[in-house]
Amino acid sequence: MALDESLVEELGIGPVWVRRQAVPAAPRETDAVASAPAAPAMPSAAPADMSREPAPPDAARSEAPQAASGDTEAPPLDAYDDLPWTDDVPAHVEPVVVDTPSDVHTLDWNALAERVANCERCRLCERRTNTVFGVGDREADWMLIGEAPGENEDKQGEPFVGQAGKLLDNMLRALTLSRQSNVYIANVIKCRPPGNRNPEPDEVARCEPYLQRQVELVKPKVIVAMGRFAAQSLLKNEASIASMRGRVHEYRGVPVIVTYHPAYLLRSLQDKSKAWADLCLARNTYRDALAALGVEQGAEKGGV
Ligand code: URA
């Protein structure tokens, strides 16, 4: 299927996304990404990954991001001031040993969803409104993995329903992908950490079997990890987004592409073209996977 070029333009995720005068002269980054559009010059002190989308508690915030517009200034920094992450603060990832129910890997979709809905394995259950299990095609070739629900997701029980979700949906649309048809979206953590704080290592460890089982059930051909937290949790490292991008990693035998979190992109418009390059790498990786399986072009499930 062809790319929706007009949508790429609208999103501003082609090479001309950043207004030139808004970007201080800086050396181009040399992330080698197959068939990716050229990345715009980066500000030398670009903020990096901030994972979850902030809750929009007031009107000012809800007006702040214009996710799908290609011609919008970045929202003021204080519009997202409760974002806890920056890429230059290393995550504290300590191996935590927790008891894992031995039957999770045997559960079918319904049983797994029910298990998550009733989960009390960590303290996050105490303040959640809803668990956020996942959404989309349970047999999708593409799986997107974020970090943890924010306020809107906690209220609605669905991942990525705020402004970041809109941006994500638009980027997926440019690849003829959508959560309604051919993508599955889940988070590493199924309950909202209060105040959008960083999930604790034991919370990650206790939630991990659920995501593992979701991946086993979906059997995606490519996984896109969005944001440093999701990438580090899947790949079990403490690396920066910058060092993980542009390469094909692996999670339980499935190729993994690392990209920025959409909430970060709302704030750092200059990195949208890099995120687009990451999605192009994911698309190429997906095509390679299909070719290796002998799937003919045009017979694929998942877009592009
Ligand atoms: N950020 C995430 O990582 N996941 C969501 O579901 C929403 C925001």
Side-chain angles (χ1 to χ4, degrees), residues 9 106 145 147 213 235 238 244 260 303:
E9 280 299 309
T106 67
I145 300 181
E147 175 191 331
R213 184 63 184 150
L235 304 176
E238 299 187 29
M244 287 186 274
Y260 296 106

Side-chain angles (χ1 to χ4, degrees), residues 51-53 132 146-150 153 158-161 164 187 226 261:
S51 285
R52 262 165 306 120
E53 182 178 8
V132 178
E147 175 191 331
E153 290 76 19
E158 180 171 331
F160 289 99
V161 291
N187 285 312
M226 299 178 290
H261 193 282

Side-chain angles (χ1 to χ4, degrees), residues 226-237:
M226 299 178 290
R228 179 171 59 85
F229 180 89
Q232 289 180 343
S233 301
L234 288 178
L235 304 176
K236 301 272 181 259
N237 67 26

